[in-house]
Amino acid sequence: MASRILLIEDDPVLAEMVKRYLGGAGFDVTIAPTGAAGLNQHKRGAVDAIILDLMLPDMDGLDLCRKLRQESQTPVLMLTARGDAMDRVVGLEIGADDYLPKPFEPRELLARLKAILRRGSGGVKSELLHFGRLEIDTGARQVKLDGELKNLTSYQFELLLLLAQHAGRVMSRDAIMDGLKNDKLEAFDRSIDVHISRVRAAIEDDPRNPRRVITVRGAGYVFAKAQD
């Protein structure tokens, strides 16, 4: 069955180009030209991923991303022409899984889309990882702390799982991105740091003084083996 993609983009020429290209790669793409249309379409039918332009005529794309994330954990790929790194950081913080600056190569869009779909698809043999009060269910793709379910995007879950599978080992940003099969992102763009902060907000007792995902200055991050 073809993956269903919701493309929220007000530029009709770009939207049709993306729809044709992704359609040729086997995706079923629905276009929504406004934020309101995108929200309505998302509520009407399940989609596997959303491609969201931040510059929309009726609402700010970041606000729309926040609303979409409140409704579901559907993977979101942001398109931005603003050129402001802060927009990308805020977008990642509020729950987007990845971003792609305009103009972009269709092949890169396809690669990034496949990556977020792969991260969100599961298909892994179920395994429970326990670290003190923290539980990671690889099959259900769920994280619990003291039995309470914690909300993470597909990217953030994969990031946490990767660190947990290498508990006690310092991982650089390059190693993390290699492990996530997301080598299109440059280490210096700090997107990994943004996702780490969101993971900490979910699983740390005090995110400002983390005891589970620890920063090793100049080296990367380490997931603590021994946890309370």
Side-chain angles (χ1 to χ4, degrees), residues 24-79:
F27 292 94
D28 180 8
V29 180
T30 299
I31 298 173
T34 66
L39 278 174
N40 290 335
Q41 183 64 39
H42 185 247
K43 291 175 181 177
R44 281 201 300 268
V47 297
D48 298 301
I50 299 169
I51 301 174
L52 169 62
D53 182 10
L54 291 190
M55 299 291 286
L56 295 169
D58 59 334
M59 68 175 67
D60 185 88
L62 293 174
D63 290 336
L64 177 55
C65 183
R66 187 179 291 107
K67 291 178 182 179
L68 290 168
R69 185 53 70 227
Q70 289 170 351
E71 293 180 358
S72 75
Q73 292 299 308
T74 305
V76 176
L77 172 61
M78 299 186 303
L79 302 179

Side-chain angles (χ1 to χ4, degrees), residues 122-128 136-143 149 157:
V124 180
K125 183 180 178 181
S126 184
E127 179 184 5
L128 290 179
I136 303 172
D137 187 332
T138 63
R141 299 180 65 81
Q142 292 181 340
V143 177
L149 186 64
F157 178 86

Side-chain angles (χ1 to χ4, degrees), residues 159-180:
L159 173 57
L160 175 60
L161 179 60
L162 178 67
L163 291 170
Q165 290 173 332
H166 296 83
R169 171 185 167 189
V170 177
M171 299 193 71
S172 67
R173 292 182 184 86
D174 286 339
I176 290 171
M177 285 186 284
D178 285 344
L180 294 175

Side-chain angles (χ1 to χ4, degrees), residues 118-134:
R118 183 171 59 245
R119 291 195 294 265
S121 64
V124 180
K125 183 180 178 181
S126 184
E127 179 184 5
L128 290 179
L129 304 179
H130 292 276
F131 298 89
R133 295 177 290 125
L134 182 69

Side-chain angles (χ1 to χ4, degrees), residues 10-11 27 34 49 60 64 68 81 85 89 98 123 139 144 149 156 158 163 182 194 204 208-209 215-216 219 223:
D10 65 314
D11 182 337
F27 292 94
T34 66
D60 185 88
L64 177 55
L68 290 168
V89 169
D98 201 355
K144 294 180 180 180
L149 186 64
Q156 290 156 11
E158 286 291 337
L163 291 170
N182 199 20
V194 174
E204 297 282 1
R208 292 172 298 180
N209 297 288
T215 300
V216 180
F223 187 83

